[in-house]
C-alpha cells in the first residue's frame, strides 16, 4: 500500500511541475492574458515603433483593451504599419489617437489610445489617423549631448572664451 501512495504523490508533484512550466511559458510569451473575446482590427502608421513587439498590450486609461496583432513596413508611406486587435466590448471614436508609450523608464512598450470626440466609432478595417511615435532614449540622449556641445562651442559662450579687446580711444 505504501508503494501506491508514493507513486501517487510522485505523479501529483510531476503534474504540478508541468502545470507550473506551462504557466511560466505563457507568461514569458506574453500569452497569459490570451482571450477568446471577439475583436476588430484597426491600422495605425508610425514613424518609429521603437521596441514595440507583437502581442504587446493596447491600453486606454490604463486598461488593456486589445493587443498588437502585427508590425510591418509600408513601402508606399515609408512608415511602420501596426495592426491592432481591439476587443469589441471597447468602442473608440473615429478620431482616436494612438501613441507608443513605455511602462516605466526602461520597461516594455505598449500602444496607448486616447479617445477623441467623434460621433462615429472605429470599425474593423479602420485606420487611426493621429499617431505619436515611440520616444527613443538614445535619440533623447544624443539631442541633449548635441545641444550641450553646441552651447559650449558657441563663440564667447564657452568656459575658455575671452572677450575681444576694446578698440583704443584717440
Amino acid at each position: 500500500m505504501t508503494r501506491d501512495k508514493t507513486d501517487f504523490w510522485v505523479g501529483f508533484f510531476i503534474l504540478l511541475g508541468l502545470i507550473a512550466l506551462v504557466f511560466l511559458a505563457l507568461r514569458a510569451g506574453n500569452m497569459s492574458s490570451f482571450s477568446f473575446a471577439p475583436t476588430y482590427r484597426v491600422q495605425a502608421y508610425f514613424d518609429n515603433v521603437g521596441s514595440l513587439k507583437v502581442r504587446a498590450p493596447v491600453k486606454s486609461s490604463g486598461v488593456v483593451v486589445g493587443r498588437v496583432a502585427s508590425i510591418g513596413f509600408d513601402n508606399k508611406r515609408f512608415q511602420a504599419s501596426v495592426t491592432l486587435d481591439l476587443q469589441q466590448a471597447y468602442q473608440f471614436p473615429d478620431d482616436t489617437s494612438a501613441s507608443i508609450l513605455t511602462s516605466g523608464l526602461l520597461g516594455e512598450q505598449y500602444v496607448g489610445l486616447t479617445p477623441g470626440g467623434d460621433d462615429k466609432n472605429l470599425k474593423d478595417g479602420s485606420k487611426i489617423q493621429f499617431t505619436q511615435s515611440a520616444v527613443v532614449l538614445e535619440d533623447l540622449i544624443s539631442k541633449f549631448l548635441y545641444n550641450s556641445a553646441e552651447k559650449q562651442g558657441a563663440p564667447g559662450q564657452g568656459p575658455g572664451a575671452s572677450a575681444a579687446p576694446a578698440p583704443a580711444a584717440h
Side-chain angles (χ1 to χ4, degrees):
M1 192 62 114
T2 58
R3 177 147 172 92
D4 290 340
K5 278 188 176 181
T6 304
D7 289 347
F8 170 78
W9 286 110
V10 168
F12 179 73
F13 283 113
I14 288 176
L15 181 64
L16 282 179
L18 288 174
I19 291 171
L21 282 175
V22 168
F23 174 76
L24 289 174
L26 289 175
R27 294 284 297 188
N30 202 8
M31 301 284 281
S32 59
S33 59
F34 187 73
S35 169
F36 291 106
T39 61
Y40 60 101
R41 286 198 167 187
V42 296
Q43 196 88 23
Y45 295 95
F46 296 93
D47 291 327
N48 188 343
V49 293
S51 61
L52 185 70
K53 293 179 177 44
V54 174
R55 300 284 313 141
V58 177
K59 296 181 180 182
S60 183
S61 300
V63 176
V64 177
V65 296
R67 292 277 171 187
V68 173
S70 66
I71 301 172
F73 186 77
D74 188 324
N75 285 323
K76 293 180 183 172
R77 297 176 88 144
F78 299 106
Q79 289 181 310
S81 169
V82 178
T83 305
L84 309 173
D85 278 341
L86 302 178
Q87 294 179 20
Q88 282 186 357
Y90 306 108
Q91 296 295 315
F92 291 93
D94 228 6
D95 59 346
T96 295
S97 65
S99 305
I100 299 178
L101 305 169
T102 305
S103 297
L105 184 60
L106 298 174
E108 74 171 350
Q109 290 190 315
Y110 65 94
V111 176
L113 296 180
T114 305
D118 201 350
D119 292 336
K120 297 178 184 176
N121 285 337
L122 292 171
K123 57 184 182 290
D124 196 39
S126 294
K127 291 184 178 17
I128 295 177
Q129 300 298 320
F130 309 108
T131 60
Q132 183 178 353
S133 295
V135 176
V136 181
L137 189 60
E138 292 85 4
D139 290 345
L140 289 177
I141 292 170
S142 67
K143 284 179 185 177
F144 173 75
L145 292 176
Y146 176 75
N147 286 339
S148 63
E150 192 175 78
K151 285 179 184 175
Q152 286 182 355
Q157 299 290 327
S162 61
H170 291 289

